[in-house]
Structure formats: C-alpha cells, structure tokens
C-alpha cells in the first residue's frame, strides 16, 4: 500500500478551502443549469403561445384594414354628399343609399 505524503502543513491548509470552493462552484453550476433549463422551457411556451395567437392577430389586422377602407369610402361619400347641391335630390338619394 502506498503512503501519500503532503508537501507541507501550509499546503494542507489549502485543501479544505479548495474543497469548499469546489463545492460552492458545483452548487452554483447546479443552480445555473436549472435556470437555463427553466428559461428554455419558458421560451418554448412563449413560442407555442405565439403560434396560437398569430392566426388570430393576422385575421384581426385584416378586419382592421377592411374597416379603415370602408371608413375612408364612407367619408369620401359624405364629403361628396356635402358638396352636392340641395337642388339635386336624385343625387342625394343615390349617395344616401350607398352610404
């Protein structure tokens, strides 16, 4: 059986400090690994939520665009109606029906 010999008493004092430092590093790495896994899971959940909401958001944007277009058309017809003379009742009726 071999006998291991330490170099000196001063070096022997560093061994417990080194062991404590390595244990702290190990604990910190475990916490860091957990945080990375947790962040990855949150990113995955966020991606799935975005994938669910994206079609609804697209449809919403289409509806908003159609509404804006119809509002612009209506405002143009109202402006045309305001510019039409009172003595053109047929034109007023036609504009009212299209509004």
């Amino acid at each position: 059986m071999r006998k291991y010999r330490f170099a000196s008493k001063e070096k022997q004092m560093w061994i417990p400090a080194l062991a404590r430092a390595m244990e702290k590093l190990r604990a910190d790495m475990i916490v860091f690994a957990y945080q990375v896994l947790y962040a990855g899971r949150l990113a995955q959940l966020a991606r799935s939520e975005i994938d669910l909401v994206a079609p609804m958001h697209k449809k919403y944007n289409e509806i908003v665009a159609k509404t804006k277009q119809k509002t612009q058309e209506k405002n143009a017809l109202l402006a045309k109606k305001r510019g039409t003379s009172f003595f053109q009742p047929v034109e007023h009726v036609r504009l009212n029906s299209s509004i």
Side-chain angles (χ1 to χ4, degrees), residues 38-98:
Y38 186 73
R41 180 68 179 137
L42 286 180
Q44 184 183 19
L45 287 173
R47 277 192 296 274
S48 66
E49 289 294 321
I50 289 171
D51 291 342
L52 286 175
V53 173
M56 289 185 265
H57 187 258
K58 183 179 177 183
K59 188 171 183 176
Y60 169 78
N61 285 337
E62 290 172 359
I63 292 171
V64 166
K66 286 179 185 177
T67 305
K68 282 183 181 180
Q69 181 184 5
K70 289 187 182 222
T71 303
Q72 289 173 351
E73 290 173 3
K74 181 179 176 182
N75 288 339
L77 288 172
L78 286 173
K80 190 173 182 181
K81 181 182 171 186
R82 282 187 220 110
T84 304
S85 170
F86 178 73
F87 297 110
Q88 296 176 331
V90 176
E91 187 66 20
H92 275 275
V93 169
R94 187 184 67 76
L95 289 172
N96 280 336
S97 66
S98 58

Side-chain angles (χ1 to χ4, degrees), residues 1-6:
M1 186 177 270
R2 279 189 181 173
K3 283 189 174 182
Y4 291 101
R5 206 178 124 210
F6 292 105

Side-chain angles (χ1 to χ4, degrees), residues 27-44:
D28 290 346
M29 287 182 70
I30 289 171
V31 169
F32 180 71
Y34 173 77
Q35 289 174 339
V36 168
L37 287 172
Y38 186 73
R41 180 68 179 137
L42 286 180
Q44 184 183 19

